[in-house]
Amino acid sequence: MTKWLLLCAAIAFEVTATLSLRAALDHAAWYALVAVGYLASFVALSLLLRTGMGIGVAYGIWGASGVALTAVLATVLFGDALTATMGLGIALVIGGVLCVELGAQAAQAAQAAQAAQAAQAREARPEGPTP
């Protein structure tokens, strides 16, 4: 659960910083939130990696979610265009990240099964010197 909370925090901080960057074009005071947001995002991402989530999965979800949320929120907040082609691109990015996540889960399951087999093999060996 902590992993996903840290990932959500990293995404939220990154999206906030990116949207603040756009707002800073008109009001320079927003640059403070840009700096704080990106710093907080990278701190949360580094804490996330310490929990054991793979970098490929963490970065993929973080990056794809950031792109999708920033595009949608920039449309709402700043009136940026969001075309059907852009929506399709966002869907493809999210689909790609989903494939990475599913692949990572399959790899972890395979590693766990391999470790279990190795442990069973060690337990099955007789103790003492081999003839």
Side-chain angles (χ1 to χ4, degrees), residues 81-126:
L82 185 60
T83 65
T85 304
M86 294 167 71
L88 176 62
I90 290 170
L92 289 171
V93 168
I94 291 170
V97 169
L98 180 61
C99 288
V100 170
E101 171 63 18
L102 293 174
Q105 287 179 6
Q108 286 176 343
Q111 286 177 340
Q114 193 175 32
Q117 284 179 336
Q120 286 176 347
R122 282 192 302 273
E123 290 175 4
R125 283 190 222 137

Side-chain angles (χ1 to χ4, degrees), residues 9-120:
I11 293 165
F13 287 131
E14 190 267 336
V15 170
T16 299
T18 302
L19 292 171
S20 297
L21 186 61
R22 172 71 186 273
L25 296 174
D26 297 326
H27 304 285
W30 285 96
Y31 283 118
L33 188 55
V34 172
V36 170
Y38 283 130
L39 178 63
S41 181
F42 282 109
V43 167
L45 195 57
S46 67
L47 292 173
L48 169 65
L49 294 176
R50 288 184 181 168
T51 68
M53 184 177 280
I55 185 71
V57 173
Y59 183 72
I61 294 171
W62 178 72
S65 299
V67 167
L69 286 170
T70 299
V72 170
L73 291 173
T75 299
V76 172
L77 297 173
F78 304 113
D80 286 4
L82 185 60
T83 65
T85 304
M86 294 167 71
L88 176 62
I90 290 170
L92 289 171
V93 168
I94 291 170
V97 169
L98 180 61
C99 288
V100 170
E101 171 63 18
L102 293 174
Q105 287 179 6
Q108 286 176 343
Q111 286 177 340
Q114 193 175 32
Q117 284 179 336
Q120 286 176 347

